[in-house]
């Protein structure tokens, strides 16, 4: 490594043209209120990679260039073209042969074109020199200036300063931010009174606030916030395309502080020849249908489930479970806890996504699709699911290759879904491993080891806690995992048996998972 770095520190400049300078560094200066990393992301040129002060990748490129002979490769490319042209001519009546030749030619030509660009050392191990381009530098400065304007600095200026030493160049983009523009007033122009009231109730969470520096990104965030808010308050048909902004910067600061100020008008338009409507769910249907049921459209039965805490609900106020057969395959009580959308509630996009995520997390269904039927009189939600196979078996075999001879292994797993009709999962894993490894003290030069392991786990889609606390975390998709396993290992040094059991509570929120393990018991018995 030291030898490579010493060579990499010596980069020859003899082949460089006059006016070519190796770009060794870029930086920004003068920005006090705008993050440096945001500005650096606008750099159009990237300097060559360095290790300490050396340029090993550039050195490898130059080293490989000594053996690069593009003229010879070009001759090979031309000869290949002639060769394939003759082959196409000779086999013009054989369509299958022509197709094979065409694929072969494409591979050959692509390979030769790569070799014209550079050999393996140049293309894979090294990287070409990055020479500073003044035109690209000016474009970068222009983009930085435009970016500063989006951050509220409309008078910002960007100058390019360079430092040249021994055909190397360091570039600094000197920024003069100027005076920022502050938001003096925010006006909401919303013809729909219902939409206006909904927005005003959540105005504290607005991304656009008076006395903040103007920022275009905040406008985008506000458009997204308004869309999410209204779609969670029943406005099923609402989209961000109804939201528009008008920014007026030709104002005088009435506060007397001498600041540059702007006024932001937020428009929320109505649909053409209509108004925005907040939908209330009239009915929710849960369908569990297999693939053949979709094809045959056989008659299905309906179950209306009344939870304990809502026995007084009318039939139309709870969820209808539609199924085929003598009874619903899954516990309606468990499904009810995973569904976040109910009759007489406003439509909510967040509740729809949470319902889909919660049902998919059960690992009982191939898919969970939610559709809505809208008419003048009703708004109905249909949750369509298709059950996965009750039993899922998989096996795996192969060889482990380590220091010694390859060792065979086998692995079997069996998953039983909906064991007690409560969406439970029962998982079983078995593995046997026979391994050979080199030994330091063995007379034969290697020894063997065997390992057998068996693990069973019951996964319940709710918390097993003997209190009402088990209902407190429904939004986190809680699960309880009861695990017991056995492991036996025989090696020349020892023979060991291990029994382990655990009780684990799992919670999931978005892309994060949390495990709480109140019980983890292991019994280890070293037999030899």
């Amino acid at each position: 490594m030291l030898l490579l770095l010493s060579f990499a520190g010596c980069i020859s400049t003899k082949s460089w043209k006059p006016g070519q300078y190796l770009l060794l560094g870029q930086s920004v200066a003068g920005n006090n209120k705008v993050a440096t990393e945001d500005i650096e992301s606008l750099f159009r040129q990237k300097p060559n990679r360095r290790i300490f002060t050396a340029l090993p990748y550039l050195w490898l490129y130059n080293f490989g260039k000594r053996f690069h002979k593009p003229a010879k490769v070009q001759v090979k490319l031309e000869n290949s073209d002639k060769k394939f042209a003759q082959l196409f001519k000779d086999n013009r009546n054989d369509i299958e042969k022509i197709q094979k030749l065409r694929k072969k030619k494409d591979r050959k030509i692509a390979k030769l074109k790569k070799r014209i660009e550079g050999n393996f050392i140049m293309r894979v191990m090294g990287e070409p020199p990055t020479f500073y381009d003044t035109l690209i530098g000016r474009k970068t400065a222009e983009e930085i200036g435009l970016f500063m304007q989006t951050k509220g600095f409309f008078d910002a200026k960007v100058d390019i300063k360079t430092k040249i030493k021994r055909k190397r160049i360091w570039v600094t983009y000197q920024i003069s931010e100027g005076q920022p523009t502050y938001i003096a007033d925010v006006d909401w122009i919303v013809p729909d009174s219902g939409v206006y009231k909904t927005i005003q109730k959540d105005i504290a969470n607005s991304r656009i606030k008076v006395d903040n520096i103007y920022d275009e990104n905040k406008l985008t965030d506000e458009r997204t916030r308004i869309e999410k808010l209204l779609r969670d308050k029943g406005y099923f048909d609402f989209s961000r395309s109804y939201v528009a902004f008008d920014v007026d910067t030709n104002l005088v600061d009435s506060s007397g502080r001498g600041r540059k100020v702007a006024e932001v008008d937020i428009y929320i338009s109505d649909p053409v020849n209509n108004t925005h409507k907040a939908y209330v769910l009239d009915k929710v249907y849960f369908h569990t249908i297999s693939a053949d049921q979709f094809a045959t459209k056989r008659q299905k039965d309906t179950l209306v489930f009344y939870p304990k805490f809502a026995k007084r609900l009318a039939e139309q106020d709870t969820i209808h479970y539609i199924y085929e057969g003598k009874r619903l395959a899954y516990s309606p009580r468990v499904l009810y806890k995973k569904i976040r959308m109910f009759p007489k509630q406003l439509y909510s996009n967040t509740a729809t996504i949470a319902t889909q995520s919660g049902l998919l997390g059960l690992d009982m269904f191939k898919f969970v699709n939610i559709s809505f039927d809208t008419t003048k009189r009703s708004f109905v939600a249909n949750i369509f699911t298709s059950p996965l196979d009750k039993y899922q078996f998989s096996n795996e075999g192969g060889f482990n290759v380590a220091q010694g001879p390859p060792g065979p292994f086998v692995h079997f797993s069996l998953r039983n879904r909906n064991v007690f009709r409560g969406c439970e999962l029962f998982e079983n894993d078995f593995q046997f491993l026979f391994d050979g490894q080199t030994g330091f003290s063995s007379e034969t030069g290697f020894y063997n080891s065997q390992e057998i392991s068996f693990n069973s786990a019951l996964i319940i889609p709710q918390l097993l806690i003997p209190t009402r606390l088990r209902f407190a975390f429904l939004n986190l998709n809680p699960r309880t995992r009861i695990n017991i396993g056995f492991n036996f290992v025989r090696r020349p040094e020892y023979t060991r048996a291990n029994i382990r059991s655990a009780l684990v509570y799992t919670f999931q929120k978005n892309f994060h998972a949390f495990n709480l393990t109140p019980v983890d018991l292991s019994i280890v018995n070293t037999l030899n």
Side-chain angles (χ1 to χ4, degrees):
M1 178 60 72
L2 291 174
L3 185 62
L4 177 61
L5 290 177
S6 64
F7 280 124
C10 305
I11 303 297
S12 175
T13 63
K14 293 180 180 179
S15 60
W16 296 359
K17 298 177 182 178
Q20 283 188 328
Y21 299 99
L22 187 69
L23 181 61
L24 281 190
Q26 298 176 105
S27 61
V28 294
N31 56 307
N32 298 318
K33 295 186 178 181
V34 180
T36 299
E37 55 268 21
D38 292 340
I39 301 174
E40 289 178 344
S41 65
L42 301 173
F43 291 165
R44 289 193 167 204
Q45 284 189 290
K46 292 185 178 181
N48 292 102
R49 290 177 291 172
R50 289 191 290 180
I51 298 179
F52 302 113
T53 60
L55 299 164
Y57 303 100
L58 176 57
W59 181 85
L60 285 169
Y61 179 88
N62 290 337
F63 177 74
K65 196 173 181 180
R66 298 179 184 180
F67 311 101
H68 184 221
K69 297 177 181 179
K72 287 188 175 181
V73 182
Q74 183 65 37
V75 172
K76 289 184 178 180
L77 181 61
E78 293 172 358
N79 291 336
S80 294
D81 274 332
K82 294 177 182 178
K83 177 183 175 182
F84 280 104
Q86 185 61 43
L87 288 171
F88 287 145
K89 185 177 179 180
D90 296 340
N91 298 276
R92 56 181 176 271
N93 296 325
D94 191 341
I95 297 176
E96 186 176 350
K97 185 70 175 291
I98 289 291
Q99 290 176 344
K100 291 181 179 179
L101 286 172
R102 188 172 288 112
K103 291 180 181 179
K104 187 176 181 180
K105 178 188 175 182
D106 292 341
R107 289 195 298 267
K108 182 74 172 179
I109 297 302
K111 185 177 179 180
L112 289 172
K113 285 183 177 179
K114 277 188 177 181
R115 289 179 57 189
I116 291 176
E117 296 173 2
N119 54 35
F120 177 82
I121 297 177
M122 295 170 65
R123 290 184 289 103
V124 179
M125 301 176 66
E127 61 182 18
T130 302
F131 294 113
Y132 176 64
D133 189 319
T134 55
L135 179 61
I136 294 178
R138 285 197 295 269
K139 288 183 177 179
T140 300
E142 290 175 5
E143 290 186 2
I144 292 175
L146 293 173
F147 177 75
M148 295 298 295
Q149 292 183 22
T150 66
K151 294 297 181 181
F153 296 89
F154 293 100
D155 298 327
K157 296 181 180 178
V158 183
D159 296 321
I160 302 175
K161 294 185 177 181
T162 59
K163 179 184 176 182
I164 300 174
K165 184 179 180 182
R166 293 185 302 177
K167 303 285 283 185
R168 276 81 166 168
I169 189 170
W170 289 262
V171 180
T172 301
Y173 295 95
Q174 185 68 41
I175 301 173
S176 299
E177 288 183 339
Q179 192 176 359
T181 298
Y182 291 86
I183 297 176
D185 190 23
V186 179
D187 288 334
W188 293 84
I189 298 111
V190 187
D192 191 307
S193 59
V195 172
Y196 180 79
K197 290 178 182 178
T198 302
I199 289 175
Q200 290 303 308
K201 289 180 181 178
D202 195 60
I203 199 68
N205 294 319
S206 175
R207 303 294 189 270
I208 305 173
K209 298 182 182 296
V210 175
D211 289 333
N212 282 0
I213 295 177
Y214 172 81
D215 188 341
E216 274 190 19
N217 287 342
K218 295 293 180 65
L219 302 185
T220 303
D221 294 341
E222 181 67 3
R223 180 181 279 113
T224 303
R225 184 193 73 86
I226 293 171
E227 181 188 44
K228 183 178 184 301
L229 170 67
L230 294 177
R231 285 179 62 82
D232 282 346
K233 296 298 182 180
Y235 293 93
F236 173 72
D237 296 323
F238 190 86
S239 70
R240 65 187 68 187
S241 61
Y242 292 110
V243 184
F245 301 95
D246 184 23
V247 182
D248 185 2
T249 58
N250 298 317
L251 299 177
V252 178
D253 187 10
S254 59
S255 66
R257 287 180 280 183
R259 304 182 304 178
K260 290 188 175 183
V261 294
E263 181 182 83
V264 180
D265 294 334
I266 305 176
Y267 296 87
I268 300 182
S269 58
D270 286 340
V272 179
N273 300 324
N274 205 342
T275 58
H276 294 290
K277 180 181 178 181
Y279 288 89
V280 177
L281 287 168
D282 293 300
K283 291 183 180 180
V284 178
Y285 292 102
F286 179 92
H287 306 258
T288 171
I289 305 172
S290 60
D292 62 322
Q293 292 177 34
F294 277 111
T296 58
K297 297 183 179 179
R298 286 179 285 181
Q299 184 67 33
K300 297 174 286 294
D301 295 324
T302 302
L303 168 71
V304 180
F305 169 70
Y306 296 93
K308 281 186 177 181
F309 52 84
K311 280 190 175 181
R312 295 181 182 178
L313 289 176
E315 181 178 333
Q316 65 270 19
D317 295 339
T318 187
I319 297 172
H320 292 64
Y321 298 91
I322 299 176
Y323 61 96
E324 182 186 39
K326 294 182 179 180
R327 59 177 176 174
L328 180 65
Y330 310 99
S331 167
R333 189 181 305 277
V334 174
L335 297 176
Y336 192 90
K337 293 174 183 177
K338 297 299 179 181
I339 295 173
R340 298 287 176 267
M341 43 203 299
F342 303 97
K344 292 190 177 181
Q345 289 185 358
L346 284 170
Y347 162 80
S348 170
N349 186 60
T350 299
T352 303
I353 296 173
T355 298
Q356 191 173 35
S357 176
L359 291 173
L360 285 172
L362 293 173
D363 195 23
M364 294 288 130
F365 310 107
K366 296 177 183 177
F367 61 82
V368 176
N369 294 335
I370 302 177
S371 64
F372 298 89
D373 295 333
T374 60
T375 63
K376 292 183 178 180
R377 295 185 177 181
S378 65
F379 184 68
V380 178
N382 288 285
I383 306 171
F384 294 100
T385 67
S386 180
L388 286 165
D389 295 334
K390 179 173 176 61
Y391 297 101
Q392 180 181 338
F393 177 77
S394 64
N395 59 83
E396 183 182 11
F399 289 90
N400 281 330
V401 181
Q403 306 99 305
F409 74 89
V410 291
H411 177 261
F412 302 98
S413 66
L414 175 64
R415 174 174 290 188
N416 185 357
R417 293 185 174 90
N418 203 28
V419 184
F420 306 112
R421 306 182 71 85
C423 298
E424 303 89 356
L425 281 172
F426 186 49
E427 297 178 342
N428 296 277
D429 290 280
F430 172 81
Q431 179 170 290
F432 173 76
L433 172 67
F434 184 91
D435 200 10
Q437 298 182 9
T438 302
F440 292 104
S441 59
S442 175
E443 296 179 358
T444 60
F446 70 92
Y447 61 86
N448 62 72
S449 64
Q450 300 91 39
E451 180 177 354
I452 299 173
S453 61
F454 180 80
N455 188 76
S456 291
L458 179 64
I459 303 171
I460 303 170
Q462 55 185 321
L463 294 182
L464 282 186
I465 301 177
T467 64
R468 292 193 64 82
L469 187 64
R470 64 182 182 273
F471 302 116
F473 305 99
L474 295 181
N475 290 331
L476 297 178
N477 290 320
R479 290 186 296 177
T480 301
R481 183 184 182 95
I482 303 172
N483 188 82
I484 185 168
F486 172 77
N487 177 263
F488 177 82
V489 179
R490 173 178 289 165
R491 296 169 60 93
E493 302 93 344
Y494 61 85
T495 301
R496 182 183 64 196
N498 181 16
I499 298 176
R500 182 183 180 184
S501 61
L503 175 67
V504 184
Y505 298 127
T506 302
F507 307 90
Q508 187 171 354
K509 183 70 173 179
N510 296 330
F511 301 104
H512 303 280
F514 309 90
N515 292 332
L516 175 63
T517 309
V519 178
D520 191 344
L521 175 66
S522 292
I523 301 175
V524 182
N525 185 10
T526 305
L527 304 174
N528 267 330

